[in-house]
Each structure stands twice: as structure tokens, then as C-alpha cells.
Amino acid sequence: MGRKTECSKDGLNKGAWTPVEDKMLLDYLKIRGEGKWSNIVRETGLKRCGKSCRLRWMNYLRPDIKRGNFSGDEEDLIIRMHKLLGNRWSLIAGRLPGRTDNEIKNYWHTTIAKKARGKPKVDRKQIEPGSPSGAASSLKNQSSIESQCTTGVVAATTTSQENSAQDHQLSVAMPQFTTSNLQYGAASNFKNQITIESQCTTEVAAAASTLQSTDSNLQYDMPKTYEFESSSKGLASGGEDNSSDIMMYNDYMDEFSKILASDFTEFSGIHDIFSNDHHSNNTDAVNGDHHGVSSDGCKSRETGEFPEKLLESDNWSGNKCVLADQDFDFMSLLSFLDSTDDEWTGDAFGTKGL
DNA sequence: AAAATGATCAACCGCCCTTAG
DNA sequence: TCTAAGGGCGGTTGATCATTT
């Protein structure tokens, strides 16, 4: 069933790449550059499918890849970005210069998620005492992901089996939720989802994205129709017409999705939030001032602390721009995330009080 | 010293989205 | 407008190495 993928064709190598294969790929990319991955097989005789070539390049061969342990700052950043974005590894990687989505994903699963479950990493590479990623940092991270939110509401699933699967997912992806404080409701509770205490809205949004990631029927920019309602894996129908609630929820997720995918400064709501006095430190950075755009699509980086850098890139999902900026200020990013934790609320999207 | 267990990470799989024809 | 192919992404697997018993 289904069409045969390029990588499932006979005669292609699988498994670990050899130095010879690496060289063939690098030689090709040196001449032709990235893209047109499927041409590589035809033009070089390399017995790898295009996807495999791309992966090898993106995750291993690129010269700008940073190797070695994640610093405490990077770890903090991952945790906070994950809190906002869920398992959107490529988006998170886009904010970590030199790190790949695969690397971050692995790191999350092997280290951070375990910490969140109270099982600290045993670092085989042995981090030097006093380094930012040492014990103190771990403790800080542990506390940073503790729940500040007493009530979380996530969309419902239909069966207890599915609930349990998602319990697991949420316990990993959303450390601030525990099974006991999740309220599983039916789809008819969408209204309740939206009227959740504003301080928890970030978590709700992220939880929604997490749910999406486990269910191909749920789109991040929530579907215009109830795709999930008719899905065997999707959310249960409440049995009554809640279309207005759903529409509001759709609007909310739509806006959230747009913001994640785009230049933040396009969103006046976000702009307004950051213009508040208590965020005056960041006001300049998010005042909607667009910078020059270079020919490669990367905007200029003469100035700046994190918030501006976060906002200035119009390419959230790609590493192209961010990787060029090796002086990325993690502390600024972390403080930004701190300062805005409470601000990623319905307010920004005009949903408060729905 | 050897076996068992755990941790790490490169690579694969399969799905979805985009785009070219 | 439709369809097939390519590209991108998140989830998962399995080989390898380190640590523990």
C-alpha cells in the first residue's frame, strides 16, 4: 500500500555513512550547493536517497554545527522554548545557533525529560565542576519547569487508552502538568479551555500543540472544521452544537500559529504587550522597527539583544539566519522568555474573557 | 573480567505540506 | 484542478559506548 518512497528503492545503502560517502556528498554540495537532494543520486552515483543525503548534511556535515555538551543556558533555553512551542524541534533549533533539531530532540529525550521526571542525567562526558550545566544549573532547571499553574485543561480524547498515552506525552512534554491536575473534558469544553486562568494560557496553548504532535488529525493551526471530531483518534464530540466555541478556539489557535510561524512584529497584540511599562527593558527591541534585509533573507543584526533577534528573523523554521549569528545572547533570550511567560496569554490574541 | 543495564545519538520511517507539471 | 514527487519534520529505532553489578 502506498507509493514506494525514494528511500525504499532497491540498491540504496542504509545505515551509518562511510567517510567515502561523506566525501562524495560534500564534493557535490561544494559544487552545487544545497537543495535538489534527489539529484545527488543521479549525478554522483552515491547510493543514498536524497532524504538521507539531506539528513546527513543537516545533522552532521554542515560546517556550522556545534558539537559537545549543551551549556546550561542552552538547556534553559530549550526548556523554555519547549514550554512555548512543544515538540517543534526545528523551531527550537532555529533559536539555538549550531544545534540541529535532531540533536535537541535527542537531548530532550535523554536528558531534560528525565530531569522533569526526577531522574537526573548521568553525564558520561563528565561536565567540569562549576560549569553552567552542573548541578546548580540542573536544580535551577528542575525548579523552572515546576508547575506554577494549578489548573490545566487540555482537549479531550475519547478513550482511557488514549488518555493514558497522552498522559505520558504531556508528562514529558509539559512538565508543569501532571495527570492529576489535568482535566480531561469533552470537546464541548472548548469554552472552558479558553476561559482558563490567563496565567495558564501558555501552557494550554503548548499542551494543545503537544496534542497535535501526537495526532496527525489535529493541526497546529487548528482545522477550520472539526477534523478531530470525526477522527477515531481525535477529540470526542460533546454531542451538541458548540460551533461558536470551536470557532473561537480555532481563531485563537490560528493566531497563535501565525505568530509562531512569522515575524512577531506583525502582530500588534504582541507589540502592545511588550510595550507595557513593566517590560520596558524589552520595549525597544519589539517596537516594530524592522531592520534591513540582506539578500539571503537574513535581516541585519547590528544591534541587539535577544528579543529583537527573536523578532527580527522572518524564518523561524530555518537555521540559515540564526546560525550565522554565533554571538547569540542566551541570557537575553532567557530573560525574554521569563518576562513573557505570563504574557503569552489570551490577551495577546484577544481571547481573554471569552 | 564479564555480563547486564543504561545512555547517547545517528539514521530511518512515515506523515504532511508544497510545488511543478 | 489534479496528481506525483520532493522536501521537511517529528517520532522511533538500533548500534555503540559507558557504567554498574
Side-chain angles (χ1 to χ4, degrees), chain A residues 23-55:
Chain A
K23 186 172 185 312
M24 287 172 79
L25 178 56
L26 282 170
D27 286 347
Y28 174 85
L29 292 170
K30 223 177 277 177
I31 297 165
R32 299 296 177 95
E34 292 179 57
K36 296 291 169 194
W37 298 105
S38 59
N39 290 351
I40 294 175
V41 184
R42 284 192 291 273
E43 296 183 24
T44 68
L46 184 58
K47 295 205 178 332
R48 295 279 182 173
C49 66
K51 267 186 165 184
S52 185
C53 293
R54 176 185 161 272
L55 207 64

Side-chain angles (χ1 to χ4, degrees), chain A residues 94-95 262-266 270 274 279-292 298-316 321-322 325 328-337 339-340:
Chain A
R95 301 293 132 180
S262 310
D263 184 338
F264 282 15
T265 58
E266 288 172 11
I270 292 288
F274 295 134
H279 288 302
S280 57
N281 287 347
N282 291 334
T283 302
D284 289 344
V286 291
N287 63 4
D289 180 23
H290 289 263
H291 298 276
C298 300
K299 295 182 181 178
S300 65
R301 324 191 154 269
E302 283 105 21
T303 59
E305 292 214 328
F306 159 67
E308 187 161 15
K309 291 184 177 182
L310 173 68
L311 299 174
E312 71 189 337
S313 170
D314 53 5
N315 182 11
W316 260 76
C321 300
V322 178
D325 185 0
F328 197 77
D329 184 342
F330 286 106
M331 295 317 293
S332 295
L333 172 50
L334 293 181
S335 62
F336 169 79
L337 290 171
S339 70
T340 58

Side-chain angles (χ1 to χ4, degrees), chain A residues 189-260:
Chain A
N189 285 337
F190 273 132
K191 194 168 185 178
N192 294 335
Q193 288 182 33
I194 296 165
T195 56
I196 191 170
E197 295 297 324
S198 63
Q199 72 194 58
C200 300
T201 312
T202 298
E203 285 77 2
V204 172
S209 77
T210 302
L211 285 170
Q212 178 274 331
S213 73
T214 63
D215 185 343
S216 60
N217 291 308
L218 290 174
Q219 300 300 311
Y220 196 74
D221 50 347
M222 294 299 280
K224 300 292 183 236
T225 57
Y226 300 69
E227 247 182 79
F228 42 78
E229 188 177 291
S230 58
S231 159
S232 60
K233 279 181 70 184
L235 305 173
S237 163
E240 50 185 288
D241 182 5
N242 296 291
S243 54
S244 61
D245 293 344
I246 298 292
M247 287 303 292
M248 286 187 283
Y249 185 75
N250 286 348
D251 288 347
Y252 167 72
M253 292 308 293
D254 249 1
E255 287 307 303
F256 188 64
S257 174
K258 282 179 199 168
I259 286 167
L260 292 180

Side-chain angles (χ1 to χ4, degrees), chain A residues 84-141:
Chain A
L84 282 173
L85 302 169
N87 297 355
R88 312 279 291 222
W89 305 115
S90 61
L91 288 179
I92 296 171
R95 301 293 132 180
L96 279 160
R99 301 296 189 182
T100 68
D101 54 354
N102 207 33
E103 199 177 6
I104 291 168
K105 182 170 56 182
N106 282 333
Y107 186 69
W108 178 268
H109 286 131
T110 60
T111 306
I112 300 175
K114 284 197 177 110
K115 281 185 189 175
R117 291 195 297 263
K119 207 177 161 189
K121 175 195 181 187
V122 177
D123 189 351
R124 302 192 325 204
K125 291 175 193 164
Q126 204 51 270
I127 302 157
E128 296 105 49
S131 80
S133 46
S137 170
S138 296
L139 281 173
K140 188 178 75 175
N141 292 337

